[in-house]
């Protein structure tokens, strides 16, 4: 993202508690990104702490990168985190298999996608944010690769 110098205030934002909650809401990466951008306008120990946490722990790289930029703008000595190309949320593969197996054998990709979005919005949202334009093809490939439901004898 590489921001040019952003002006900030050295005080706590009036809506700090709300911004902190938004920055940590795992089911909505865009809300986290917006909160990180807003927190980057307010330099305090509290906002730095939240930004450090998002930079180090957010599963969506764009959020990490923005938090890094905001911290650098504050003059903090931080290192850019490496992009995680592997599993962003632990056991995602297992969750996708369970969801597929919970559906009727003749279900469609759209049925699978809808159930994932309903049952595990955190996984859906995180991978949608991380994969961007490649999300649909990635998710469909995961669906196709997952084993189908088998009948017990």
């Amino acid at each position: 993202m590489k921001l040019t110098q952003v002006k900030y205030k050295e005080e706590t934002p009036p809506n700090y508690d709300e911004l902190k909650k938004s920055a940590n809401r795992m089911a909505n990466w865009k809300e986290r990104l917006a909160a990180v951008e807003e927190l980057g306008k307010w330099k305090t120990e509290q906002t730095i702490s939240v930004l450090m946490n998002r930079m180090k722990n957010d599963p969506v790289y764009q959020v990490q990168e923005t938090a890094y930029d905001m911290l650098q703008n504050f003059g903090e000595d931080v290192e850019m985190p490496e992009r995680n190309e592997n599993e962003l949320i632990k056991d995602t593969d297992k969750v996708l298999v369970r969801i597929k197996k919970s559906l009727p054998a003749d279900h469609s990709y759209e049925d699978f996608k809808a159930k994932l979005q309903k049952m595990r919005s955190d996984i859906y949202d995180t991978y949608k944010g991380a994969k961007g334009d490649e999300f649909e093809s990635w998710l469909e490939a995961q669906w196709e690769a997952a084993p189908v439901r088998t009948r017990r004898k």
Side-chain angles (χ1 to χ4, degrees):
M1 183 174 180
K2 279 296 175 217
L3 298 173
T4 55
Q5 196 69 10
V6 175
K7 296 204 185 281
Y8 56 83
K9 296 179 182 178
E10 294 192 31
E11 57 189 70
T12 303
N15 58 342
Y16 171 75
D17 290 334
E18 181 183 315
L19 288 170
K20 183 178 177 183
K21 284 179 189 174
S22 292
N24 292 307
R25 188 160 289 124
M26 293 312 293
N28 191 331
W29 76 272
K30 288 183 181 179
E31 185 175 345
R32 291 195 312 275
L33 180 61
V36 163
E37 289 171 342
E38 183 60 28
L39 287 166
K41 298 175 185 174
W42 307 86
K43 182 181 178 183
T44 66
E45 285 184 34
Q46 291 174 305
T47 59
I48 289 170
S49 175
V50 174
L51 292 171
M52 285 282 197
N53 181 283
R54 287 299 89 213
M55 181 189 76
K56 292 177 181 176
N57 300 311
D58 204 280
V60 176
Y61 193 71
Q62 189 175 350
V63 177
Q64 287 182 325
E65 188 176 38
T66 301
Y68 167 81
D69 289 340
M70 296 302 176
L71 289 164
Q72 267 207 322
N73 187 57
F74 288 167
E76 295 294 310
D77 184 20
V78 291
E79 287 187 31
M80 184 67 182
E82 289 186 30
R83 184 182 294 265
N84 181 357
E85 297 294 342
N86 300 318
E87 193 173 54
L88 303 176
I89 295 179
K90 189 175 188 308
D91 294 331
T92 294
D93 293 343
K94 292 177 185 176
V95 170
L96 298 178
V97 168
R98 278 197 300 271
I99 288 173
K100 183 172 181 179
K101 286 185 172 187
S102 74
L103 293 164
D106 63 344
H107 74 274
S108 69
Y109 164 69
E110 291 302 323
D111 295 334
F112 170 78
K113 181 178 163 184
K115 187 159 187 180
L116 172 62
Q117 199 169 8
K118 181 179 178 186
M119 302 299 292
R120 290 299 304 267
S121 62
D122 60 330
I123 290 175
Y124 185 91
D125 185 73
T126 296
Y127 280 88
K128 188 170 177 78
K131 300 281 184 193
D133 293 340
E134 298 171 13
F135 173 73
E136 285 294 329
S137 60
W138 171 82
L139 185 59
E140 192 161 3
Q142 297 301 308
W143 171 70
E144 288 173 356
V148 294
R149 184 178 184 182
T150 55
R151 295 203 181 271
R152 293 186 181 155
K153 295 181 181 181

